[in-house]
Amino acid sequence: MKTQDLLAIGLMTFALFLGAGNLIFPPSMGLEAGTNLLPAMMGFLITAVGLPAFTLIVLGRIANTNNLTKSLPPWLGQTFWVLLFTSIGPAFGMPRAVTVAYEMGIKPFVDGDYLLVFTLIFCAVTLLLAFTPGKLVDYIGKFMTPALILMLIALSVAALISPLGAPQLPSADYQNSAVTHGLIQGYMTMDGIAAVGFGWVIIQAINAKGVTAPKDVARVSLYVAGIYAVLMGACYLAMGYVGATSSTVANGATNGGEILTLYVHGIFGEYGQVLLAAIIIMACLTTTVGLTNASAEYYRSSFKAPFALTSVIVVTLTCIVANFGLAQIIQVSLPAILLLCPIAIALVMASFVSSINSAFKPSHVSVLVVTLVFGALDALSILDLMPSVAHSQLQDMLPLYNAHASWLIPCLVVLSVNSLRSFINQQKTCTA
């Protein structure tokens, strides 16, 4: 693969992940962490960047994203993929991107409600770009992402040269356990599940450049994950610094979007709002295009559904949900996402173990079941649906329950025991 093509796929990968949430969340954390920004960001980067990068590397090692669920019963594997693409696609991820693009990119400049008009235009552009999957790397990797990076650099350099304030003392959560809290917040970005979905687009882009041999796909995926990690890490650090130095202008702000808006206005004045609007709309557009492409690629590969037809259905549903009932859809789909994220990560870990040595058979089914059970407890806790008595008992009994990751240790135990047992049985068979 040519270096410029490799770089283009890496830039495309960065843009696919870079949604409005990735820009809005770090300023809020930076404001709370204050003088403890660096240790908090260290923990945050491990889970918010390291986990998706690890997922991309594993997907490259197994060469075909569908291999992630190959060891599951066909009905169970298909159920997982359909739920995943429905959740991160038209049921949650894509409508949220459209509405955030409108709220932060258009609404500040207009009087009245133009959400329907904006949604129709935004979804039409998404569909136009998604209709030609072979050009996705050119559209996003070679043109849209460099423009997006230049805008982010302008904001970051301005914040470094003339910060609007100094970091304040950290809030209670970040005083004594900044790294741990950063780890938790990074995990809650849910980019781990996005990496599984985007894997379809990235592997397809690598194959489209003539790289199809498993070892070559694995090698290129490693480089792509590295490019993504460097760019996304730099973006998070810059946005976190913006939040940490925003105390003088963001007093009373309730979320990262407000902090970012106030900060940009404080540096660039009225032109800052235009710059921020362009960044947000561009980031949301690359995300919706990528999710449309990923969904259509899955249904084409698994069910022989026409790529164009699936794209139209996904984007049409997104347009409808973005205008009618997004809040209700989020309430319904959020529990599914909170369950699917640990399951996706568990399947990635199981696939990684089995890719190391064919003698390791970690039993994807048992790993999935154990993760589902304990992940359900974490989901109930996050949604504040866990009874108070049970919540107190689980805090004392389950490791990592307070970190919303009580599924991790049971999953690792089952993964290790099954892999070791299969390896021993394999050795006995070979020596018999």
Side-chain angles (χ1 to χ4, degrees):
M1 181 180 290
K2 296 179 181 178
T3 302
Q4 63 181 22
D5 290 332
L6 176 62
L7 182 60
I9 295 176
L11 292 174
M12 180 194 73
T13 302
F14 165 69
L16 293 180
F17 280 93
L18 185 65
N22 302 85
L23 295 172
I24 293 171
F25 188 85
S28 180
M29 190 183 74
L31 181 61
E32 288 191 52
T35 53
N36 278 345
L37 173 64
L38 287 181
M41 189 58 70
M42 184 186 306
F44 181 81
L45 292 178
I46 291 174
T47 47
V49 178
L51 190 57
F54 171 71
T55 300
L56 295 178
I57 292 171
V58 174
L59 293 178
R61 287 177 64 93
I62 62 178
N64 187 326
T65 310
N66 223 350
N67 289 338
L68 190 68
T69 55
K70 184 176 65 174
S71 299
L72 298 176
W75 68 269
L76 185 57
Q78 290 180 352
T79 300
F80 167 78
W81 286 114
V82 170
L83 287 175
L84 183 143
F85 282 114
T86 301
S87 298
I88 67 175
F92 180 77
M94 291 177 64
R96 184 182 65 173
V98 175
T99 53
V100 169
Y102 173 75
E103 292 291 332
M104 296 191 64
I106 301 297
K107 194 173 182 179
F109 303 98
V110 298
D111 295 322
D113 187 2
Y114 295 94
L115 176 61
L116 178 59
V117 175
F118 173 79
T119 303
L120 290 172
I121 296 173
F122 192 90
C123 288
V125 174
T126 297
L127 194 58
L128 179 65
L129 294 176
F131 260 159
T132 52
K135 296 290 185 180
L136 196 66
V137 174
D138 293 330
Y139 290 146
I140 297 180
K142 294 182 179 179
F143 300 109
M144 296 172 70
T145 311
L148 182 59
I149 290 175
L150 287 175
M151 289 186 285
L152 289 172
I153 289 175
L155 173 58
S156 304
V157 171
L160 287 171
I161 294 176
S162 56
L164 299 182
Q168 303 297 302
L169 291 176
S171 65
D173 289 333
Y174 291 93
Q175 285 179 1
N176 299 317
S177 56
V179 175
T180 302
H181 205 68
L183 283 166
I184 296 172
Q185 297 304 312
Y187 170 71
M188 290 302 295
T189 63
M190 301 294 178
D191 272 358
I193 191 173
V196 175
F198 286 139
W200 288 87
V201 178
I202 297 164
I203 298 298
Q204 179 69 20
I206 293 173
N207 294 156
K209 296 299 180 181
V211 179
T212 56
K215 288 185 178 180
D216 293 332
V217 172
R219 177 175 52 83
V220 172
S221 298
L222 181 63
Y223 293 145
V224 168
I227 295 171
Y228 152 78
V230 169
L231 292 175
M232 189 61 79
C235 178
Y236 279 143
L237 286 170
M239 294 301 102
Y241 179 76
V242 165
T245 56
S246 65
S247 57
T248 56
V249 295
N251 188 25
T254 58
N255 58 66
E258 290 184 36
I259 295 172
L260 196 56
T261 300
L262 293 169
Y263 202 96
V264 171
H265 185 274
I267 291 182
F268 296 104
E270 297 297 330
Y271 295 104
Q273 191 67 41
V274 177
L275 174 65
L276 181 60
I279 292 174
I280 293 295
I281 291 175
M282 187 77 75
C284 290
L285 182 61
T286 55
T287 298
T288 56
V289 171
L291 289 172
T292 301
N293 197 276
S295 299
E297 179 60 34
Y298 165 70
Y299 285 106
R300 184 197 64 79
S301 175
S302 300
F303 300 102
K304 308 302 180 184
F307 188 96
L309 177 62
T310 305
S311 298
V312 170
I313 293 174
V314 168
V315 173
T316 301
L317 289 174
T318 297
C319 187
I320 294 172
V321 174
N323 282 277
F324 304 104
L326 177 60
Q328 290 79 8
I329 293 295
I330 289 176
Q331 290 178 358
V332 174
S333 60
L334 186 57
I337 291 176
L338 293 175
L339 280 174
L340 284 171
C341 188
I343 289 173
I345 297 171
L347 290 176
V348 168
M349 292 192 298
S351 297
F352 174 70
V353 170
S354 59
S355 72
I356 295 175
N357 191 317
S358 59
F360 291 139
K361 299 186 184 301
S363 179
H364 287 60
V365 174
S366 59
V367 168
L368 185 150
V369 171
V370 169
T371 303
L372 176 62
V373 171
F374 287 91
L377 299 178
D378 293 326
L380 291 173
S381 174
I382 294 170
L383 296 169
D384 292 325
L385 298 176
M386 181 68 70
S388 57
V389 175
H391 181 72
S392 299
Q393 292 177 342
L394 290 172
Q395 282 182 316
D396 297 331
M397 295 169 52
L398 276 183
L400 301 180
Y401 177 78
N402 289 330
H404 308 308
S406 61
W407 61 271
L408 181 58
I409 292 179
C411 172
L412 290 174
V413 169
V414 172
L415 185 66
S416 302
V417 170
N418 286 337
S419 299
L420 182 60
R421 184 171 57 186
S422 63
F423 180 78
I424 293 174
N425 290 336
Q426 179 79 2
Q427 296 301 308
K428 289 181 179 179
T429 302
C430 293
T431 56

